[in-house]
Amino acid sequence: DSGVTQTPKHLITATGQRVTLRCSPRSGDLSVYWYQQSLDQGLQFLIQYYNGEERAKGNILERFSAQQFPDLHSELNLSSLELGDSALYFCASSVAGRTGTDTQYFGPGTRLTVL
Amino acid sequence: GDSVTQMEGPVTLSEEAFLTINCTYTATGYPSLFWYVQYPGEGLQLLLKATKADDKGSNKGFEATYRKETTSFHLEKGSVQVSDSAVYFCALSPRNSGGSNYKLTFGKGTLLTVNP
């Protein structure tokens, strides 16, 4: 158990809908990262938040957004869903100190199926 | 930009065989290097890491050495078990001084199947 929790575990929805994925980081970790794992694209970095602020963006679609709340949990919002958004969405957390190296610990993932 | 290249799978071995999964990277500066493992139906688990040249990461019998001269971080295990069957991902993150961006760049993953 990494200490990172994600809910829900599975999500099935229809095209055009909107969903919210939730992540709680390990105790003490300030950074939260979101990744998408799909068969064709592999594991891709979406976005990072550090202590409530957006820190880095990767291959995140404009239909997707995220935020990190004062208690450090994070939510990833996916809207106007398309079939191609079906994937595993992972959250990871780390201490993310200001210098040196860092290690990310991953949650179990949320499997999104868009029908 | 940063990239990671892993050997294509799948890799199928018999129990107690020697394992090597090749990984090479392209990055600016001196990134940290990681191997993550994903067991069927589960999330990613950190297997081992190395943060500077010539460092050797090791865990559960797996080893990998950070080779700056060949930009490689090959994963090895002397004697695999059926329970090692999983997908293995090589990854890197930039070394960052002053910021807090440590996003991981992953290879495509290598599926390992170990038969009894």
PDB file of all heavy atoms in Angstrom, chain A residues 80-109:
ATOM      1  N   SER A  80     -17.060  16.622 -21.334  1.00  0.00           N
ATOM      2  CA  SER A  80     -17.350  16.325 -22.754  1.00  0.00           C
ATOM      3  C   SER A  80     -16.631  15.055 -23.175  1.00  0.00           C
ATOM      4  O   SER A  80     -15.916  15.008 -24.176  1.00  0.00           O
ATOM      5  CB  SER A  80     -16.932  17.502 -23.646  1.00  0.00           C
ATOM      6  OG  SER A  80     -17.560  18.688 -23.257  1.00  0.00           O
ATOM      7  N   LEU A  81     -16.836  14.012 -22.402  1.00  0.00           N
ATOM      8  CA  LEU A  81     -16.055  12.790 -22.574  1.00  0.00           C
ATOM      9  C   LEU A  81     -16.249  12.157 -23.941  1.00  0.00           C
ATOM     10  O   LEU A  81     -17.348  12.155 -24.514  1.00  0.00           O
ATOM     11  CB  LEU A  81     -16.415  11.795 -21.479  1.00  0.00           C
ATOM     12  CG  LEU A  81     -15.829  12.138 -20.107  1.00  0.00           C
ATOM     13  CD1 LEU A  81     -16.455  11.293 -19.013  1.00  0.00           C
ATOM     14  CD2 LEU A  81     -14.314  11.949 -20.120  1.00  0.00           C
ATOM     15  N   GLU A  82     -15.158  11.615 -24.446  1.00  0.00           N
ATOM     16  CA  GLU A  82     -15.143  10.910 -25.726  1.00  0.00           C
ATOM     17  C   GLU A  82     -14.698   9.476 -25.481  1.00  0.00           C
ATOM     18  O   GLU A  82     -14.098   9.163 -24.445  1.00  0.00           O
ATOM     19  CB  GLU A  82     -14.192  11.613 -26.698  1.00  0.00           C
ATOM     20  CG  GLU A  82     -14.533  13.061 -26.947  1.00  0.00           C
ATOM     21  CD  GLU A  82     -13.507  13.777 -27.796  1.00  0.00           C
ATOM     22  OE1 GLU A  82     -12.497  13.142 -28.187  1.00  0.00           O
ATOM     23  OE2 GLU A  82     -13.712  14.979 -28.082  1.00  0.00           O
ATOM     24  N   LEU A  83     -14.975   8.624 -26.467  1.00  0.00           N
ATOM     25  CA  LEU A  83     -14.592   7.213 -26.343  1.00  0.00           C
ATOM     26  C   LEU A  83     -13.100   7.078 -26.056  1.00  0.00           C
ATOM     27  O   LEU A  83     -12.664   6.238 -25.271  1.00  0.00           O
ATOM     28  CB  LEU A  83     -14.942   6.445 -27.615  1.00  0.00           C
ATOM     29  CG  LEU A  83     -16.421   6.327 -27.948  1.00  0.00           C
ATOM     30  CD1 LEU A  83     -16.602   5.577 -29.270  1.00  0.00           C
ATOM     31  CD2 LEU A  83     -17.175   5.625 -26.838  1.00  0.00           C
ATOM     32  N   GLY A  84     -12.320   7.941 -26.686  1.00  0.00           N
ATOM     33  CA  GLY A  84     -10.865   7.879 -26.548  1.00  0.00           C
ATOM     34  C   GLY A  84     -10.343   8.278 -25.186  1.00  0.00           C
ATOM     35  O   GLY A  84      -9.149   8.127 -24.916  1.00  0.00           O
ATOM     36  N   ASP A  85     -11.208   8.786 -24.321  1.00  0.00           N
ATOM     37  CA  ASP A  85     -10.786   9.143 -22.963  1.00  0.00           C
ATOM     38  C   ASP A  85     -10.772   7.935 -22.043  1.00  0.00           C
ATOM     39  O   ASP A  85     -10.308   8.026 -20.908  1.00  0.00           O
ATOM     40  CB  ASP A  85     -11.713  10.213 -22.382  1.00  0.00           C
ATOM     41  CG  ASP A  85     -11.672  11.506 -23.188  1.00  0.00           C
ATOM     42  OD1 ASP A  85     -10.601  11.829 -23.747  1.00  0.00           O
ATOM     43  OD2 ASP A  85     -12.719  12.180 -23.261  1.00  0.00           O
ATOM     44  N   SER A  86     -11.289   6.825 -22.522  1.00  0.00           N
ATOM     45  CA  SER A  86     -11.264   5.596 -21.722  1.00  0.00           C
ATOM     46  C   SER A  86      -9.813   5.229 -21.442  1.00  0.00           C
ATOM     47  O   SER A  86      -9.006   5.079 -22.364  1.00  0.00           O
ATOM     48  CB  SER A  86     -11.951   4.460 -22.468  1.00  0.00           C
ATOM     49  OG  SER A  86     -13.322   4.735 -22.660  1.00  0.00           O
ATOM     50  N   ALA A  87      -9.492   5.089 -20.164  1.00  0.00           N
ATOM     51  CA  ALA A  87      -8.104   4.843 -19.765  1.00  0.00           C
ATOM     52  C   ALA A  87      -8.058   4.619 -18.268  1.00  0.00           C
ATOM     53  O   ALA A  87      -9.059   4.740 -17.565  1.00  0.00           O
ATOM     54  CB  ALA A  87      -7.216   6.039 -20.139  1.00  0.00           C
ATOM     55  N   LEU A  88      -6.859   4.288 -17.801  1.00  0.00           N
ATOM     56  CA  LEU A  88      -6.569   4.263 -16.367  1.00  0.00           C
ATOM     57  C   LEU A  88      -5.972   5.603 -15.993  1.00  0.00           C
ATOM     58  O   LEU A  88      -5.020   6.062 -16.654  1.00  0.00           O
ATOM     59  CB  LEU A  88      -5.550   3.164 -16.060  1.00  0.00           C
ATOM     60  CG  LEU A  88      -5.987   1.878 -15.416  1.00  0.00           C
ATOM     61  CD1 LEU A  88      -4.818   0.918 -15.311  1.00  0.00           C
ATOM     62  CD2 LEU A  88      -6.616   2.102 -14.059  1.00  0.00           C
ATOM     63  N   TYR A  89      -6.484   6.212 -14.966  1.00  0.00           N
ATOM     64  CA  TYR A  89      -5.962   7.501 -14.512  1.00  0.00           C
ATOM     65  C   TYR A  89      -5.319   7.291 -13.144  1.00  0.00           C
ATOM     66  O   TYR A  89      -5.968   6.855 -12.194  1.00  0.00           O
ATOM     67  CB  TYR A  89      -7.075   8.545 -14.450  1.00  0.00           C
ATOM     68  CG  TYR A  89      -7.561   8.923 -15.822  1.00  0.00           C
ATOM     69  CD1 TYR A  89      -8.527   8.155 -16.465  1.00  0.00           C
ATOM     70  CD2 TYR A  89      -7.031  10.008 -16.499  1.00  0.00           C
ATOM     71  CE1 TYR A  89      -8.956   8.469 -17.750  1.00  0.00           C
ATOM     72  CE2 TYR A  89      -7.448  10.341 -17.778  1.00  0.00           C
ATOM     73  CZ  TYR A  89      -8.409   9.561 -18.393  1.00  0.00           C
ATOM     74  OH  TYR A  89      -8.825   9.878 -19.680  1.00  0.00           O
ATOM     75  N   PHE A  90      -4.033   7.605 -13.099  1.00  0.00           N
ATOM     76  CA  PHE A  90      -3.278   7.444 -11.865  1.00  0.00           C
ATOM     77  C   PHE A  90      -2.977   8.793 -11.239  1.00  0.00           C
ATOM     78  O   PHE A  90      -2.674   9.766 -11.928  1.00  0.00           O
ATOM     79  CB  PHE A  90      -1.941   6.741 -12.125  1.00  0.00           C
ATOM     80  CG  PHE A  90      -2.060   5.279 -12.413  1.00  0.00           C
ATOM     81  CD1 PHE A  90      -1.826   4.787 -13.686  1.00  0.00           C
ATOM     82  CD2 PHE A  90      -2.399   4.389 -11.399  1.00  0.00           C
ATOM     83  CE1 PHE A  90      -1.929   3.432 -13.951  1.00  0.00           C
ATOM     84  CE2 PHE A  90      -2.497   3.032 -11.659  1.00  0.00           C
ATOM     85  CZ  PHE A  90      -2.273   2.560 -12.941  1.00  0.00           C
ATOM     86  N   CYS A  91      -3.022   8.793  -9.936  1.00  0.00           N
ATOM     87  CA  CYS A  91      -2.543   9.907  -9.162  1.00  0.00           C
ATOM     88  C   CYS A  91      -1.272   9.452  -8.457  1.00  0.00           C
ATOM     89  O   CYS A  91      -1.160   8.285  -8.057  1.00  0.00           O
ATOM     90  CB  CYS A  91      -3.611  10.289  -8.145  1.00  0.00           C
ATOM     91  SG  CYS A  91      -3.090  11.415  -6.868  1.00  0.00           S
ATOM     92  N   ALA A  92      -0.317  10.344  -8.331  1.00  0.00           N
ATOM     93  CA  ALA A  92       0.898  10.066  -7.573  1.00  0.00           C
ATOM     94  C   ALA A  92       1.169  11.251  -6.659  1.00  0.00           C
ATOM     95  O   ALA A  92       0.736  12.378  -6.944  1.00  0.00           O
ATOM     96  CB  ALA A  92       2.084   9.833  -8.504  1.00  0.00           C
ATOM     97  N   SER A  93       1.869  10.991  -5.571  1.00  0.00           N
ATOM     98  CA  SER A  93       2.238  12.098  -4.704  1.00  0.00           C
ATOM     99  C   SER A  93       3.699  12.001  -4.310  1.00  0.00           C
ATOM    100  O   SER A  93       4.316  10.926  -4.371  1.00  0.00           O
ATOM    101  CB  SER A  93       1.349  12.157  -3.464  1.00  0.00           C
ATOM    102  OG  SER A  93       1.688  11.168  -2.508  1.00  0.00           O
ATOM    103  N   SER A  94       4.254  13.119  -3.934  1.00  0.00           N
ATOM    104  CA  SER A  94       5.643  13.163  -3.476  1.00  0.00           C
ATOM    105  C   SER A  94       5.822  14.359  -2.560  1.00  0.00           C
ATOM    106  O   SER A  94       4.998  15.266  -2.537  1.00  0.00           O
ATOM    107  CB  SER A  94       6.598  13.261  -4.666  1.00  0.00           C
ATOM    108  OG  SER A  94       6.527  14.544  -5.251  1.00  0.00           O
ATOM    109  N   VAL A  95       6.927  14.344  -1.858  1.00  0.00           N
ATOM    110  CA  VAL A  95       7.259  15.478  -1.000  1.00  0.00           C
ATOM    111  C   VAL A  95       7.567  16.691  -1.852  1.00  0.00           C
ATOM    112  O   VAL A  95       7.169  17.807  -1.555  1.00  0.00           O
ATOM    113  CB  VAL A  95       8.466  15.129  -0.096  1.00  0.00           C
ATOM    114  CG1 VAL A  95       8.904  16.344   0.687  1.00  0.00           C
ATOM    115  CG2 VAL A  95       8.102  13.993   0.833  1.00  0.00           C
ATOM    116  N   ALA A  96       8.328  16.440  -2.953  1.00  0.00           N
ATOM    117  CA  ALA A  96       8.683  17.499  -3.912  1.00  0.00           C
ATOM    118  C   ALA A  96       9.349  18.668  -3.220  1.00  0.00           C
ATOM    119  O   ALA A  96       8.855  19.797  -3.260  1.00  0.00           O
ATOM    120  CB  ALA A  96       7.471  17.961  -4.714  1.00  0.00           C
ATOM    121  N   GLY A  97      10.463  18.385  -2.586  1.00  0.00           N
ATOM    122  CA  GLY A  97      11.230  19.463  -1.999  1.00  0.00           C
ATOM    123  C   GLY A  97      11.784  20.378  -3.058  1.00  0.00           C
ATOM    124  O   GLY A  97      11.746  20.072  -4.237  1.00  0.00           O
ATOM    125  N   ARG A  98      12.307  21.487  -2.659  1.00  0.00           N
ATOM    126  CA  ARG A  98      12.694  22.481  -3.638  1.00  0.00           C
ATOM    127  C   ARG A  98      14.001  22.156  -4.341  1.00  0.00           C
ATOM    128  O   ARG A  98      14.316  22.709  -5.373  1.00  0.00           O
ATOM    129  CB  ARG A  98      12.795  23.851  -2.963  1.00  0.00           C
ATOM    130  CG  ARG A  98      11.449  24.363  -2.467  1.00  0.00           C
ATOM    131  CD  ARG A  98      11.489  25.837  -2.191  1.00  0.00           C
ATOM    132  NE  ARG A  98      11.778  26.632  -3.353  1.00  0.00           N
ATOM    133  CZ  ARG A  98      10.903  26.919  -4.294  1.00  0.00           C
ATOM    134  NH1 ARG A  98       9.687  26.440  -4.250  1.00  0.00           N
ATOM    135  NH2 ARG A  98      11.236  27.682  -5.328  1.00  0.00           N
ATOM    136  N   THR A  99      14.774  21.261  -3.787  1.00  0.00           N
ATOM    137  CA  THR A  99      16.022  20.910  -4.476  1.00  0.00           C
ATOM    138  C   THR A  99      16.203  19.405  -4.454  1.00  0.00           C
ATOM    139  O   THR A  99      15.536  18.701  -3.714  1.00  0.00           O
ATOM    140  CB  THR A  99      17.247  21.546  -3.781  1.00  0.00           C
ATOM    141  OG1 THR A  99      17.322  21.032  -2.451  1.00  0.00           O
ATOM    142  CG2 THR A  99      17.148  23.049  -3.745  1.00  0.00           C
ATOM    143  N   GLY A 100      17.122  18.959  -5.273  1.00  0.00           N
ATOM    144  CA  GLY A 100      17.493  17.553  -5.246  1.00  0.00           C
ATOM    145  C   GLY A 100      16.528  16.675  -5.996  1.00  0.00           C
ATOM    146  O   GLY A 100      15.941  17.072  -6.979  1.00  0.00           O
ATOM    147  N   THR A 101      16.378  15.470  -5.516  1.00  0.00           N
ATOM    148  CA  THR A 101      15.577  14.489  -6.235  1.00  0.00           C
ATOM    149  C   THR A 101      14.289  14.217  -5.475  1.00  0.00           C
ATOM    150  O   THR A 101      14.066  14.723  -4.387  1.00  0.00           O
ATOM    151  CB  THR A 101      16.354  13.192  -6.435  1.00  0.00           C
ATOM    152  OG1 THR A 101      15.604  12.343  -7.321  1.00  0.00           O
ATOM    153  CG2 THR A 101      16.555  12.468  -5.124  1.00  0.00           C
ATOM    154  N   ASP A 102      13.461  13.423  -6.067  1.00  0.00           N
ATOM    155  CA  ASP A 102      12.138  13.204  -5.509  1.00  0.00           C
ATOM    156  C   ASP A 102      11.624  11.860  -5.983  1.00  0.00           C
ATOM    157  O   ASP A 102      12.007  11.394  -7.043  1.00  0.00           O
ATOM    158  CB  ASP A 102      11.206  14.325  -5.977  1.00  0.00           C
ATOM    159  CG  ASP A 102       9.979  14.426  -5.118  1.00  0.00           C
ATOM    160  OD1 ASP A 102      10.118  14.295  -3.883  1.00  0.00           O
ATOM    161  OD2 ASP A 102       8.891  14.621  -5.665  1.00  0.00           O
ATOM    162  N   THR A 103      10.763  11.239  -5.202  1.00  0.00           N
ATOM    163  CA  THR A 103      10.195   9.947  -5.578  1.00  0.00           C
ATOM    164  C   THR A 103       8.681  10.042  -5.518  1.00  0.00           C
ATOM    165  O   THR A 103       8.133  10.536  -4.526  1.00  0.00           O
ATOM    166  CB  THR A 103      10.687   8.842  -4.626  1.00  0.00           C
ATOM    167  OG1 THR A 103      12.097   8.721  -4.747  1.00  0.00           O
ATOM    168  CG2 THR A 103      10.036   7.516  -4.984  1.00  0.00           C
ATOM    169  N   GLN A 104       8.040   9.565  -6.565  1.00  0.00           N
ATOM    170  CA  GLN A 104       6.588   9.588  -6.610  1.00  0.00           C
ATOM    171  C   GLN A 104       6.018   8.237  -6.234  1.00  0.00           C
ATOM    172  O   GLN A 104       6.513   7.193  -6.670  1.00  0.00           O
ATOM    173  CB  GLN A 104       6.113   9.971  -8.020  1.00  0.00           C
ATOM    174  CG  GLN A 104       6.485  11.397  -8.387  1.00  0.00           C
ATOM    175  CD  GLN A 104       6.066  11.769  -9.777  1.00  0.00           C
ATOM    176  OE1 GLN A 104       5.056  11.286 -10.296  1.00  0.00           O
ATOM    177  NE2 GLN A 104       6.828  12.633 -10.407  1.00  0.00           N
ATOM    178  N   TYR A 105       4.954   8.247  -5.454  1.00  0.00           N
ATOM    179  CA  TYR A 105       4.240   7.051  -5.034  1.00  0.00           C
ATOM    180  C   TYR A 105       2.842   7.097  -5.642  1.00  0.00           C
ATOM    181  O   TYR A 105       2.153   8.103  -5.534  1.00  0.00           O
ATOM    182  CB  TYR A 105       4.192   6.972  -3.506  1.00  0.00           C
ATOM    183  CG  TYR A 105       5.571   6.820  -2.916  1.00  0.00           C
ATOM    184  CD1 TYR A 105       6.348   7.924  -2.595  1.00  0.00           C
ATOM    185  CD2 TYR A 105       6.120   5.544  -2.735  1.00  0.00           C
ATOM    186  CE1 TYR A 105       7.624   7.775  -2.104  1.00  0.00           C
ATOM    187  CE2 TYR A 105       7.405   5.398  -2.228  1.00  0.00           C
ATOM    188  CZ  TYR A 105       8.143   6.505  -1.923  1.00  0.00           C
ATOM    189  OH  TYR A 105       9.426   6.358  -1.440  1.00  0.00           O
ATOM    190  N   PHE A 106       2.481   5.985  -6.262  1.00  0.00           N
ATOM    191  CA  PHE A 106       1.261   5.948  -7.064  1.00  0.00           C
ATOM    192  C   PHE A 106       0.088   5.332  -6.320  1.00  0.00           C
ATOM    193  O   PHE A 106       0.245   4.387  -5.543  1.00  0.00           O
ATOM    194  CB  PHE A 106       1.501   5.144  -8.344  1.00  0.00           C
ATOM    195  CG  PHE A 106       2.242   5.929  -9.393  1.00  0.00           C
ATOM    196  CD1 PHE A 106       3.602   6.166  -9.267  1.00  0.00           C
ATOM    197  CD2 PHE A 106       1.584   6.444 -10.505  1.00  0.00           C
ATOM    198  CE1 PHE A 106       4.293   6.908 -10.225  1.00  0.00           C
ATOM    199  CE2 PHE A 106       2.266   7.174 -11.464  1.00  0.00           C
ATOM    200  CZ  PHE A 106       3.617   7.409 -11.317  1.00  0.00           C
ATOM    201  N   GLY A 107      -1.090   5.871  -6.607  1.00  0.00           N
ATOM    202  CA  GLY A 107      -2.316   5.267  -6.143  1.00  0.00           C
ATOM    203  C   GLY A 107      -2.698   4.088  -7.024  1.00  0.00           C
ATOM    204  O   GLY A 107      -2.039   3.811  -8.031  1.00  0.00           O
ATOM    205  N   PRO A 108      -3.785   3.394  -6.666  1.00  0.00           N
ATOM    206  CA  PRO A 108      -4.205   2.199  -7.413  1.00  0.00           C
ATOM    207  C   PRO A 108      -4.864   2.504  -8.745  1.00  0.00           C
ATOM    208  O   PRO A 108      -5.063   1.603  -9.555  1.00  0.00           O
ATOM    209  CB  PRO A 108      -5.191   1.527  -6.460  1.00  0.00           C
ATOM    210  CG  PRO A 108      -5.726   2.647  -5.632  1.00  0.00           C
ATOM    211  CD  PRO A 108      -4.606   3.635  -5.477  1.00  0.00           C
ATOM    212  N   GLY A 109      -5.224   3.778  -8.973  1.00  0.00           N
ATOM    213  CA  GLY A 109      -5.796   4.155 -10.259  1.00  0.00           C
ATOM    214  C   GLY A 109      -7.316   4.134 -10.280  1.00  0.00           C
ATOM    215  O   GLY A 109      -7.966   3.463  -9.471  1.00  0.00           O
TER     216      GLY A 109
END
